[in-house]
Amino acid sequence: MGNAESVVVQKRLARFGPDEQPMVEGVFDRLLSGSAGAAGEESKALTVDMVKASMGSVASDSMIMRVYACMASIDAGVPMVPGGGVSREQLVIFLADTLCGTAEERAPLVMAMAQRSGKGDVATVDQIKQFLEDLISAVLQTLAHRGRLRGWKPELMGDGARGVKLLAEQLSSEIKVSDQQTCDTPCLEDWIFRISSVAVYLELLVSEGLLVTLPSRPPPTLLPLCREDSWGKAASLLDLPLLLFLAPLLPAGHSTPWRLLFSTHLHGESFTRMMSCIKGHGPTVLLLRDTKGHVFGGFASHSWEIRPQFQGDSRCFLFSVFPCMRVYTCIGYNQHYMYLNHGQQTMPNGLGMGGQHGYFGLWLDSEFGRGHSRARPKCTTYGSPQLSAEEDFSLDALEVWAVSEPPQQEQDENKRSVLDADPEVQAMMELAGKTLHSQGLREPEEDEQ
């Protein structure tokens, strides 16, 4: 970068390893030479078309314009390039702050991207929300373009466009705005510090859009693995923005696969069938839609077991998806986390989460298709409001997803020989003088060692 590089740029470059610094500095020359509109060696600055040539496959024009305006607004501590454009120094600072900056350093960048310029000290909530919609859309486009959907199929899932708006509204609702519904740079700094998703999304977009692959910072994993082989039989209530919202809230995060255990579209409307599908499969996510269109659900931290007592622990939570995306965690008033009962005359029969008998935060009756969400004013376990459109609701669709590796018992059953599954077959083969070849190939049981 020559002798004229600023102290600010030198400090930013020092954050990268010796092998990474040439890669970061080389981005400018690559963008410059990779655009058909570059003016050869005489060009000293990046144009928006040069940035678009690199990012066009993973981001909309609107998001690219935000990124470019942000780059151009950076004070690099050196004279601006004659004729305008983004200088080498501005690009290096932008890369350093988006990829490994602090909340204090990222806040001015978000402000510039929200405003689409570097002018002004405040942004409105609507401006932040529109920026988030562009950013989330770019993240999803990036994951699809790079083949990182991890088995999820957006065309067979819920309305992704609506999900983008819902997630953007949820993230913007976390901003502690002024009475005028505006946000200054310290306000954005506080928000970025508390809500890590914003920085993660920016890091993914910049690293993938500008092809900056750093050994010390591999691309973040944003989606859990999908182990579902029923795609094509029915559309899921899930959408990709909802997965971006839910996965970080789970104790295991993105590290464990999701497996569909029950769906009304696939398995029918039967409480008995639902119970048989979801029992003993570890932590689960319930997602349902009522006939008025409200979508909501809950996370159960333990395997569902039929018993007339409450179960689970404080990791359980309820959430809403539509008309707004929110999460409601335990408030410590009681331990009524999750409940599943059937065939009792003296206790409620059904599936519930939070609240108390007859007054659950989320309840599905054993007479399948009916339920309630009662909160006057809040659920006593999770502090949630009424999640359904009406207090007593009719069920339109339900899905239950296992969000962990299969329990050891289930894995063991999958490994069992057909001879173990049916002892009569084994006896008949022995009587017929057949050799049981699999017997000599098995691992010895613990009590046999």
Side-chain angles (χ1 to χ4, degrees):
M1 292 174 63
N3 298 325
E5 67 179 17
S6 69
V7 175
V8 177
V9 174
Q10 292 175 4
K11 289 182 177 180
R12 294 300 203 280
L13 277 175
R15 297 176 182 173
F16 302 101
D19 295 336
E20 295 175 337
Q21 290 181 15
M23 299 170 60
V24 173
E25 292 186 276
V27 174
F28 184 87
D29 292 328
R30 176 165 48 78
L31 294 178
L32 206 62
S33 62
S35 172
E41 296 181 356
E42 296 180 359
S43 181
K44 299 292 185 180
L46 298 178
T47 66
V48 67
D49 288 335
M50 295 175 188
V51 177
K52 190 178 296 185
S54 179
M55 300 187 70
S57 62
V58 298
S60 66
D61 287 352
S62 176
M63 188 66 228
I64 294 172
M65 289 299 298
R66 293 181 187 277
V67 169
Y68 186 79
C70 174
M71 292 177 181
S73 71
I74 292 173
D75 181 2
V78 296
M80 301 293 289
V81 177
V86 173
S87 69
R88 184 186 299 269
E89 292 83 3
Q90 287 174 317
L91 178 62
V92 169
I93 294 173
F94 175 80
L95 292 175
D97 288 353
T98 53
L99 297 179
C100 50
T102 64
E104 181 180 5
E105 291 165 338
R106 285 167 168 157
L109 305 184
V110 171
M111 178 70 75
M113 283 187 270
Q115 296 174 333
R116 298 176 184 263
S117 69
K119 301 176 182 179
D121 297 325
V122 297
T124 66
V125 174
D126 284 341
Q127 285 177 320
I128 300 294
K129 193 183 304 181
Q130 290 167 13
F131 155 70
L132 287 170
E133 289 180 14
D134 281 349
L135 178 60
I136 296 166
S137 296
V139 166
L140 297 178
Q141 190 173 335
T142 300
L143 294 175
H145 185 74
R146 302 297 188 211
R148 295 179 185 165
L149 294 180
R150 309 196 74 196
W152 299 100
K153 300 184 179 181
E155 68 275 12
L156 298 175
M157 301 174 73
D159 186 350
R162 186 180 77 170
V164 166
K165 292 182 178 296
L166 291 170
L167 181 54
E169 190 280 328
Q170 187 277 324
L171 291 172
S172 64
S173 73
E174 299 285 351
I175 302 174
K176 298 176 181 179
V177 297
S178 67
D179 294 338
Q180 290 75 35
Q181 292 296 297
T182 59
C183 184
D184 58 14
T185 303
C187 171
L188 285 179
E189 179 184 338
D190 169 75
W191 176 57
I192 294 169
F193 179 79
R194 290 183 294 105
I195 309 301
S196 61
S197 300
V198 181
V200 172
Y201 295 167
L202 272 176
E203 182 179 343
L204 178 73
L205 172 62
V206 172
S207 63
E208 295 291 335
L210 298 179
L211 302 177
V212 188
T213 304
L214 303 177
S216 65
R217 301 191 69 83
T221 299
L222 298 182
L223 296 175
L225 181 66
C226 176
R227 288 186 180 167
E228 174 50 40
D229 57 6
S230 299
W231 291 113
K233 297 181 181 179
S236 174
L237 293 174
L238 286 169
D239 56 51
L240 294 182
L242 179 54
L243 285 169
L244 293 180
F245 172 65
L246 287 178
L249 301 174
L250 304 180
H254 311 88
S255 63
T256 56
W258 286 45
R259 299 171 293 123
L260 183 63
L261 300 178
F262 177 82
S263 165
T264 48
H265 293 303
L266 296 175
H267 303 101
E269 299 182 354
S270 166
F271 191 81
T272 303
R273 179 71 183 276
M274 182 196 74
M275 286 194 307
S276 66
C277 287
I278 71 174
K279 284 191 307 177
H281 285 278
T284 50
V285 167
L286 285 77
L287 184 61
L288 59 118
R289 180 176 61 216
D290 65 24
T291 53
K292 300 293 184 179
H294 280 219
V295 182
F296 50 98
F299 166 69
S301 60
H302 286 53
S303 289
W304 289 100
E305 303 294 344
I306 301 174
R307 62 178 67 164
Q309 296 90 25
F310 286 95
Q311 48 196 297
D313 61 25
S314 60
R315 295 175 297 172
C316 297
F317 59 81
L318 294 178
F319 60 88
S320 62
V321 180
F322 184 81
C324 65
M325 199 176 279
R326 297 289 188 274
V327 61
Y328 306 100
T329 55
C330 300
I331 60 176
Y333 182 79
N334 58 39
Q335 298 180 347
H336 298 172
Y337 306 118
M338 46 190 284
Y339 174 92
L340 179 64
N341 198 30
H342 188 58
Q344 294 275 331
Q345 293 185 350
T346 57
M347 299 294 288
N349 294 313
L351 182 152
M353 295 189 69
Q356 57 192 359
H357 296 315
Y359 212 82
F360 284 89
L362 170 57
W363 173 256
L364 296 174
D365 199 85
S366 60
E367 293 185 14
F368 201 82
R370 297 192 308 154
H372 72 245
S373 177
R374 294 180 179 154
R376 299 179 185 176
K378 303 290 183 181
C379 169
T380 55
T381 307
Y382 300 109
S384 55
Q386 178 180 306
L387 303 175
S388 50
E390 298 175 349
E391 187 175 90
D392 296 289
F393 65 83
S394 296
L395 183 67
D396 178 53
L398 169 68
E399 293 176 5
V400 183
W401 292 80
V403 288
S404 67
E405 292 288 353
Q408 188 62 44
Q409 179 181 357
E410 183 179 340
Q411 296 182 36
D412 292 342
E413 289 176 354
N414 291 337
K415 296 177 182 178
R416 291 174 65 191
S417 164
V418 66
L419 303 179
D420 295 324
D422 194 342
E424 293 185 7
V425 173
Q426 180 175 346
M428 292 178 65
M429 291 184 69
E430 289 175 343
L431 288 173
K434 301 291 185 180
T435 302
L436 305 182
H437 296 283
S438 65
Q439 293 283 23
L441 301 176
R442 304 187 195 186
E443 294 289 338
E445 300 291 341
E446 291 184 4
D447 55 0
E448 294 177 356
Q449 296 180 355

PDB file of all heavy atoms in Angstrom, residues 298-319:
ATOM      1  N   GLY A 298     -43.143 -24.123  20.469  1.00  0.00           N
ATOM      2  CA  GLY A 298     -42.335 -24.202  21.677  1.00  0.00           C
ATOM      3  C   GLY A 298     -41.174 -25.165  21.503  1.00  0.00           C
ATOM      4  O   GLY A 298     -41.183 -26.030  20.624  1.00  0.00           O
ATOM      5  N   PHE A 299     -40.168 -24.981  22.348  1.00  0.00           N
ATOM      6  CA  PHE A 299     -39.032 -25.892  22.405  1.00  0.00           C
ATOM      7  C   PHE A 299     -39.106 -26.687  23.691  1.00  0.00           C
ATOM      8  O   PHE A 299     -39.217 -26.111  24.784  1.00  0.00           O
ATOM      9  CB  PHE A 299     -37.710 -25.129  22.351  1.00  0.00           C
ATOM     10  CG  PHE A 299     -36.514 -25.963  22.738  1.00  0.00           C
ATOM     11  CD1 PHE A 299     -36.084 -27.004  21.921  1.00  0.00           C
ATOM     12  CD2 PHE A 299     -35.836 -25.732  23.937  1.00  0.00           C
ATOM     13  CE1 PHE A 299     -34.991 -27.794  22.291  1.00  0.00           C
ATOM     14  CE2 PHE A 299     -34.749 -26.499  24.303  1.00  0.00           C
ATOM     15  CZ  PHE A 299     -34.326 -27.538  23.478  1.00  0.00           C
ATOM     16  N   ALA A 300     -39.065 -28.022  23.581  1.00  0.00           N
ATOM     17  CA  ALA A 300     -39.067 -28.919  24.729  1.00  0.00           C
ATOM     18  C   ALA A 300     -37.665 -29.474  24.916  1.00  0.00           C
ATOM     19  O   ALA A 300     -37.124 -30.114  24.011  1.00  0.00           O
ATOM     20  CB  ALA A 300     -40.077 -30.051  24.523  1.00  0.00           C
ATOM     21  N   SER A 301     -37.086 -29.247  26.072  1.00  0.00           N
ATOM     22  CA  SER A 301     -35.680 -29.588  26.299  1.00  0.00           C
ATOM     23  C   SER A 301     -35.456 -31.072  26.576  1.00  0.00           C
ATOM     24  O   SER A 301     -34.324 -31.549  26.497  1.00  0.00           O
ATOM     25  CB  SER A 301     -35.133 -28.779  27.484  1.00  0.00           C
ATOM     26  OG  SER A 301     -35.869 -29.077  28.670  1.00  0.00           O
ATOM     27  N   HIS A 302     -36.513 -31.808  26.930  1.00  0.00           N
ATOM     28  CA  HIS A 302     -36.398 -33.220  27.258  1.00  0.00           C
ATOM     29  C   HIS A 302     -37.279 -34.055  26.328  1.00  0.00           C
ATOM     30  O   HIS A 302     -38.167 -33.526  25.652  1.00  0.00           O
ATOM     31  CB  HIS A 302     -36.815 -33.477  28.710  1.00  0.00           C
ATOM     32  CG  HIS A 302     -35.810 -33.032  29.720  1.00  0.00           C
ATOM     33  ND1 HIS A 302     -35.278 -31.759  29.746  1.00  0.00           N
ATOM     34  CD2 HIS A 302     -35.234 -33.700  30.757  1.00  0.00           C
ATOM     35  CE1 HIS A 302     -34.425 -31.656  30.753  1.00  0.00           C
ATOM     36  NE2 HIS A 302     -34.379 -32.824  31.383  1.00  0.00           N
ATOM     37  N   SER A 303     -37.046 -35.336  26.326  1.00  0.00           N
ATOM     38  CA  SER A 303     -37.932 -36.250  25.597  1.00  0.00           C
ATOM     39  C   SER A 303     -39.339 -36.172  26.178  1.00  0.00           C
ATOM     40  O   SER A 303     -39.520 -36.051  27.398  1.00  0.00           O
ATOM     41  CB  SER A 303     -37.430 -37.700  25.709  1.00  0.00           C
ATOM     42  OG  SER A 303     -36.250 -37.891  24.972  1.00  0.00           O
ATOM     43  N   TRP A 304     -40.314 -36.235  25.302  1.00  0.00           N
ATOM     44  CA  TRP A 304     -41.703 -36.288  25.760  1.00  0.00           C
ATOM     45  C   TRP A 304     -41.993 -37.671  26.349  1.00  0.00           C
ATOM     46  O   TRP A 304     -41.707 -38.686  25.717  1.00  0.00           O
ATOM     47  CB  TRP A 304     -42.664 -36.003  24.607  1.00  0.00           C
ATOM     48  CG  TRP A 304     -42.650 -34.576  24.145  1.00  0.00           C
ATOM     49  CD1 TRP A 304     -42.008 -34.067  23.059  1.00  0.00           C
ATOM     50  CD2 TRP A 304     -43.306 -33.468  24.767  1.00  0.00           C
ATOM     51  NE1 TRP A 304     -42.216 -32.714  22.959  1.00  0.00           N
ATOM     52  CE2 TRP A 304     -43.016 -32.322  23.992  1.00  0.00           C
ATOM     53  CE3 TRP A 304     -44.115 -33.345  25.894  1.00  0.00           C
ATOM     54  CZ2 TRP A 304     -43.502 -31.062  24.321  1.00  0.00           C
ATOM     55  CZ3 TRP A 304     -44.602 -32.084  26.228  1.00  0.00           C
ATOM     56  CH2 TRP A 304     -44.294 -30.957  25.449  1.00  0.00           C
ATOM     57  N   GLU A 305     -42.565 -37.694  27.545  1.00  0.00           N
ATOM     58  CA  GLU A 305     -42.980 -38.929  28.201  1.00  0.00           C
ATOM     59  C   GLU A 305     -44.394 -38.743  28.725  1.00  0.00           C
ATOM     60  O   GLU A 305     -44.746 -37.671  29.220  1.00  0.00           O
ATOM     61  CB  GLU A 305     -42.035 -39.296  29.358  1.00  0.00           C
ATOM     62  CG  GLU A 305     -40.573 -39.448  28.957  1.00  0.00           C
ATOM     63  CD  GLU A 305     -40.322 -40.624  28.022  1.00  0.00           C
ATOM     64  OE1 GLU A 305     -41.207 -41.502  27.927  1.00  0.00           O
ATOM     65  OE2 GLU A 305     -39.251 -40.648  27.386  1.00  0.00           O
ATOM     66  N   ILE A 306     -45.200 -39.792  28.613  1.00  0.00           N
ATOM     67  CA  ILE A 306     -46.585 -39.717  29.084  1.00  0.00           C
ATOM     68  C   ILE A 306     -46.600 -39.894  30.591  1.00  0.00           C
ATOM     69  O   ILE A 306     -46.238 -40.957  31.110  1.00  0.00           O
ATOM     70  CB  ILE A 306     -47.458 -40.788  28.402  1.00  0.00           C
ATOM     71  CG1 ILE A 306     -47.437 -40.599  26.887  1.00  0.00           C
ATOM     72  CG2 ILE A 306     -48.884 -40.723  28.933  1.00  0.00           C
ATOM     73  CD1 ILE A 306     -48.157 -41.691  26.125  1.00  0.00           C
ATOM     74  N   ARG A 307     -46.989 -38.858  31.293  1.00  0.00           N
ATOM     75  CA  ARG A 307     -47.080 -38.906  32.753  1.00  0.00           C
ATOM     76  C   ARG A 307     -47.952 -37.739  33.224  1.00  0.00           C
ATOM     77  O   ARG A 307     -48.018 -36.702  32.547  1.00  0.00           O
ATOM     78  CB  ARG A 307     -45.690 -38.825  33.392  1.00  0.00           C
ATOM     79  CG  ARG A 307     -44.954 -37.533  33.088  1.00  0.00           C
ATOM     80  CD  ARG A 307     -43.602 -37.462  33.779  1.00  0.00           C
ATOM     81  NE  ARG A 307     -42.674 -38.444  33.243  1.00  0.00           N
ATOM     82  CZ  ARG A 307     -41.360 -38.382  33.443  1.00  0.00           C
ATOM     83  NH1 ARG A 307     -40.852 -37.397  34.173  1.00  0.00           N
ATOM     84  NH2 ARG A 307     -40.559 -39.286  32.926  1.00  0.00           N
ATOM     85  N   PRO A 308     -48.597 -37.870  34.362  1.00  0.00           N
ATOM     86  CA  PRO A 308     -49.482 -36.806  34.839  1.00  0.00           C
ATOM     87  C   PRO A 308     -48.758 -35.695  35.592  1.00  0.00           C
ATOM     88  O   PRO A 308     -49.379 -34.953  36.342  1.00  0.00           O
ATOM     89  CB  PRO A 308     -50.450 -37.554  35.758  1.00  0.00           C
ATOM     90  CG  PRO A 308     -49.642 -38.688  36.291  1.00  0.00           C
ATOM     91  CD  PRO A 308     -48.716 -39.092  35.179  1.00  0.00           C
ATOM     92  N   GLN A 309     -47.426 -35.590  35.421  1.00  0.00           N
ATOM     93  CA  GLN A 309     -46.664 -34.525  36.061  1.00  0.00           C
ATOM     94  C   GLN A 309     -45.967 -33.673  34.992  1.00  0.00           C
ATOM     95  O   GLN A 309     -45.730 -34.118  33.884  1.00  0.00           O
ATOM     96  CB  GLN A 309     -45.596 -35.103  37.008  1.00  0.00           C
ATOM     97  CG  GLN A 309     -46.139 -35.888  38.188  1.00  0.00           C
ATOM     98  CD  GLN A 309     -46.308 -37.353  37.864  1.00  0.00           C
ATOM     99  OE1 GLN A 309     -45.641 -37.879  36.985  1.00  0.00           O
ATOM    100  NE2 GLN A 309     -47.219 -38.020  38.571  1.00  0.00           N
ATOM    101  N   PHE A 310     -45.626 -32.454  35.404  1.00  0.00           N
ATOM    102  CA  PHE A 310     -44.832 -31.598  34.516  1.00  0.00           C
ATOM    103  C   PHE A 310     -43.415 -32.145  34.418  1.00  0.00           C
ATOM    104  O   PHE A 310     -42.916 -32.811  35.330  1.00  0.00           O
ATOM    105  CB  PHE A 310     -44.812 -30.162  35.038  1.00  0.00           C
ATOM    106  CG  PHE A 310     -46.105 -29.427  34.821  1.00  0.00           C
ATOM    107  CD1 PHE A 310     -47.070 -29.370  35.819  1.00  0.00           C
ATOM    108  CD2 PHE A 310     -46.361 -28.799  33.617  1.00  0.00           C
ATOM    109  CE1 PHE A 310     -48.262 -28.699  35.619  1.00  0.00           C
ATOM    110  CE2 PHE A 310     -47.551 -28.124  33.399  1.00  0.00           C
ATOM    111  CZ  PHE A 310     -48.513 -28.074  34.413  1.00  0.00           C
ATOM    112  N   GLN A 311     -42.768 -31.859  33.303  1.00  0.00           N
ATOM    113  CA  GLN A 311     -41.415 -32.332  33.057  1.00  0.00           C
ATOM    114  C   GLN A 311     -40.626 -31.226  32.368  1.00  0.00           C
ATOM    115  O   GLN A 311     -41.118 -30.121  32.169  1.00  0.00           O
ATOM    116  CB  GLN A 311     -41.454 -33.604  32.205  1.00  0.00           C
ATOM    117  CG  GLN A 311     -42.360 -33.508  30.974  1.00  0.00           C
ATOM    118  CD  GLN A 311     -42.694 -34.868  30.377  1.00  0.00           C
ATOM    119  OE1 GLN A 311     -41.806 -35.570  29.920  1.00  0.00           O
ATOM    120  NE2 GLN A 311     -43.966 -35.226  30.358  1.00  0.00           N
ATOM    121  N   GLY A 312     -39.365 -31.526  31.996  1.00  0.00           N
ATOM    122  CA  GLY A 312     -38.534 -30.530  31.329  1.00  0.00           C
ATOM    123  C   GLY A 312     -37.738 -29.682  32.313  1.00  0.00           C
ATOM    124  O   GLY A 312     -37.696 -29.949  33.512  1.00  0.00           O
ATOM    125  N   ASP A 313     -37.106 -28.620  31.793  1.00  0.00           N
ATOM    126  CA  ASP A 313     -36.329 -27.714  32.641  1.00  0.00           C
ATOM    127  C   ASP A 313     -36.379 -26.303  32.064  1.00  0.00           C
ATOM    128  O   ASP A 313     -37.115 -26.030  31.101  1.00  0.00           O
ATOM    129  CB  ASP A 313     -34.887 -28.210  32.812  1.00  0.00           C
ATOM    130  CG  ASP A 313     -34.117 -28.301  31.494  1.00  0.00           C
ATOM    131  OD1 ASP A 313     -34.457 -27.570  30.531  1.00  0.00           O
ATOM    132  OD2 ASP A 313     -33.168 -29.111  31.417  1.00  0.00           O
ATOM    133  N   SER A 314     -35.585 -25.418  32.648  1.00  0.00           N
ATOM    134  CA  SER A 314     -35.674 -23.997  32.307  1.00  0.00           C
ATOM    135  C   SER A 314     -35.135 -23.664  30.923  1.00  0.00           C
ATOM    136  O   SER A 314     -35.208 -22.512  30.497  1.00  0.00           O
ATOM    137  CB  SER A 314     -34.923 -23.161  33.355  1.00  0.00           C
ATOM    138  OG  SER A 314     -33.555 -23.532  33.408  1.00  0.00           O
ATOM    139  N   ARG A 315     -34.597 -24.632  30.193  1.00  0.00           N
ATOM    140  CA  ARG A 315     -34.170 -24.369  28.819  1.00  0.00           C
ATOM    141  C   ARG A 315     -35.350 -24.341  27.850  1.00  0.00           C
ATOM    142  O   ARG A 315     -35.208 -23.899  26.704  1.00  0.00           O
ATOM    143  CB  ARG A 315     -33.154 -25.422  28.376  1.00  0.00           C
ATOM    144  CG  ARG A 315     -31.845 -25.391  29.147  1.00  0.00           C
ATOM    145  CD  ARG A 315     -30.939 -26.537  28.745  1.00  0.00           C
ATOM    146  NE  ARG A 315     -31.550 -27.831  29.071  1.00  0.00           N
ATOM    147  CZ  ARG A 315     -31.050 -28.998  28.687  1.00  0.00           C
ATOM    148  NH1 ARG A 315     -29.933 -29.039  27.967  1.00  0.00           N
ATOM    149  NH2 ARG A 315     -31.657 -30.121  29.026  1.00  0.00           N
ATOM    150  N   CYS A 316     -36.505 -24.840  28.276  1.00  0.00           N
ATOM    151  CA  CYS A 316     -37.704 -24.798  27.428  1.00  0.00           C
ATOM    152  C   CYS A 316     -38.110 -23.344  27.173  1.00  0.00           C
ATOM    153  O   CYS A 316     -37.845 -22.459  27.981  1.00  0.00           O
ATOM    154  CB  CYS A 316     -38.861 -25.530  28.098  1.00  0.00           C
ATOM    155  SG  CYS A 316     -38.613 -27.293  28.387  1.00  0.00           S
ATOM    156  N   PHE A 317     -38.785 -23.116  26.055  1.00  0.00           N
ATOM    157  CA  PHE A 317     -39.326 -21.790  25.788  1.00  0.00           C
ATOM    158  C   PHE A 317     -40.482 -21.883  24.803  1.00  0.00           C
ATOM    159  O   PHE A 317     -40.661 -22.895  24.114  1.00  0.00           O
ATOM    160  CB  PHE A 317     -38.245 -20.835  25.263  1.00  0.00           C
ATOM    161  CG  PHE A 317     -37.565 -21.269  23.983  1.00  0.00           C
ATOM    162  CD1 PHE A 317     -38.149 -21.054  22.740  1.00  0.00           C
ATOM    163  CD2 PHE A 317     -36.307 -21.869  24.020  1.00  0.00           C
ATOM    164  CE1 PHE A 317     -37.514 -21.435  21.554  1.00  0.00           C
ATOM    165  CE2 PHE A 317     -35.662 -22.258  22.853  1.00  0.00           C
ATOM    166  CZ  PHE A 317     -36.266 -22.037  21.622  1.00  0.00           C
ATOM    167  N   LEU A 318     -41.279 -20.838  24.768  1.00  0.00           N
ATOM    168  CA  LEU A 318     -42.332 -20.680  23.764  1.00  0.00           C
ATOM    169  C   LEU A 318     -41.893 -19.599  22.780  1.00  0.00           C
ATOM    170  O   LEU A 318     -41.046 -18.757  23.093  1.00  0.00           O
ATOM    171  CB  LEU A 318     -43.657 -20.285  24.407  1.00  0.00           C
ATOM    172  CG  LEU A 318     -44.327 -21.320  25.317  1.00  0.00           C
ATOM    173  CD1 LEU A 318     -45.618 -20.751  25.913  1.00  0.00           C
ATOM    174  CD2 LEU A 318     -44.622 -22.604  24.561  1.00  0.00           C
ATOM    175  N   PHE A 319     -42.486 -19.625  21.584  1.00  0.00           N
ATOM    176  CA  PHE A 319     -42.167 -18.591  20.602  1.00  0.00           C
ATOM    177  C   PHE A 319     -43.371 -18.342  19.703  1.00  0.00           C
ATOM    178  O   PHE A 319     -44.244 -19.190  19.558  1.00  0.00           O
ATOM    179  CB  PHE A 319     -40.947 -18.982  19.760  1.00  0.00           C
ATOM    180  CG  PHE A 319     -41.106 -20.263  18.973  1.00  0.00           C
ATOM    181  CD1 PHE A 319     -41.657 -20.256  17.698  1.00  0.00           C
ATOM    182  CD2 PHE A 319     -40.701 -21.478  19.512  1.00  0.00           C
ATOM    183  CE1 PHE A 319     -41.805 -21.434  16.971  1.00  0.00           C
ATOM    184  CE2 PHE A 319     -40.838 -22.664  18.796  1.00  0.00           C
ATOM    185  CZ  PHE A 319     -41.397 -22.638  17.525  1.00  0.00           C
TER     186      PHE A 319
END
